[in-house]
Amino acid sequence: MMRARTIRLVAALAVVVTAGSGCQSDVGPDRVLPSAASGSLAYFEELAASEGIADQAQLDILRSAVAENSLSFESYSQAVNAAVACIRDAGVLVDGPITDHSSGYPVLRYGFAAGVNEDGEPDNPVPDQCIMAHSFYVEAAYTSQPSSQAALDAALEAKRAEVNTCAKAAGIAADDSLPIREWLAEIWDSGESGRDCIVTAEITEF
């Protein structure tokens, strides 16, 4: 099967919505990204350096981003493309990457052929190793930086009226005066009808 590569930042920064599979993300075995609310570009640079998994190119991208106080799409793309090339070079089928603007800013989406063993772990560790080495920390920093999060907020707000109409038709009483992400979380948690409203509005993260 093709395993989608997506990121979920904890503390409700970016919940990846996949119809039929709940809110899940693939970030490597037993890996959870740190919250951007507790860090910054410098935080991810320090994390990458301290864990000793990222290659030099990924560390250089993070250091440049800290110096410039911004991580560009071009630098982010460089890291993702390196991870994808690593996966392909290992003989694994890869889908993408393609550029997706649904979050209000450009994000590269990709997937790769993968299965799991009897313990529920990936049957081929190479894709996760490639991602950790080449793009994991860069992807986290790029999606969680303030400019990306502001763009996501604006994109979600643009969907509020559509989701609200659907939610009311389904009998969901959500407080639409809440900030957009809290409001969407309330609708999501209301049950299947609420999740359907969010998926139908083509919201892929919040």
Side-chain angles (χ1 to χ4, degrees):
M1 61 181 238
M2 294 299 292
R3 175 174 156 196
R5 168 65 181 158
T6 50
I7 284 183
R8 180 178 65 178
L9 298 181
V10 296
L13 283 172
V15 178
V16 177
V17 179
T18 306
S21 63
C23 298
Q24 298 292 328
S25 66
D26 292 312
V27 292
D30 301 319
R31 299 291 303 181
V32 177
L33 286 174
S35 168
S38 65
S40 61
L41 289 171
Y43 173 74
F44 289 110
E45 179 205 6
E46 292 167 6
L47 185 67
S50 66
E51 293 196 338
I53 302 172
D55 69 355
Q56 190 60 50
Q58 187 173 188
L59 292 174
D60 288 345
I61 289 171
L62 291 167
R63 290 187 182 118
S64 294
V66 170
E68 297 169 8
N69 199 30
S70 177
L71 206 167
S72 69
F73 177 71
E74 290 73 22
S75 294
Y76 157 75
S77 298
Q78 178 184 333
V80 171
N81 288 333
V84 168
C86 175
I87 296 170
R88 282 202 175 104
D89 288 347
V92 177
L93 179 65
V94 179
D95 180 21
I98 61 170
T99 305
D100 175 19
H101 293 269
S102 64
S103 295
Y105 64 100
V107 177
L108 294 174
R109 309 290 187 191
Y110 59 97
F112 49 86
V116 294
N117 58 31
E118 293 179 355
D119 297 326
E121 297 294 333
D123 60 1
N124 183 354
V126 171
D128 288 322
Q129 291 168 355
C130 287
I131 291 165
M132 294 302 297
H134 299 290
S135 69
F136 180 84
Y137 303 96
V138 167
E139 290 185 63
Y142 175 76
T143 58
S144 63
Q145 66 182 333
S147 59
S148 298
Q149 291 298 302
L152 176 58
D153 281 339
L156 293 173
E157 278 291 356
K159 298 279 189 177
R160 189 190 283 263
E162 179 183 351
V163 175
N164 201 24
T165 297
C166 177
K168 287 181 176 179
I172 300 169
D175 181 2
D176 60 9
S177 68
L178 288 172
I180 186 63
R181 299 196 201 197
E182 293 179 33
W183 181 71
L184 287 169
E186 189 172 296
I187 291 174
W188 181 269
D189 291 340
S190 69
E192 185 175 352
S193 294
R195 291 191 288 273
D196 286 344
C197 288
I198 290 172
V199 172
T200 300
E202 298 183 344
I203 293 174
T204 58
E205 57 182 308
F206 61 87

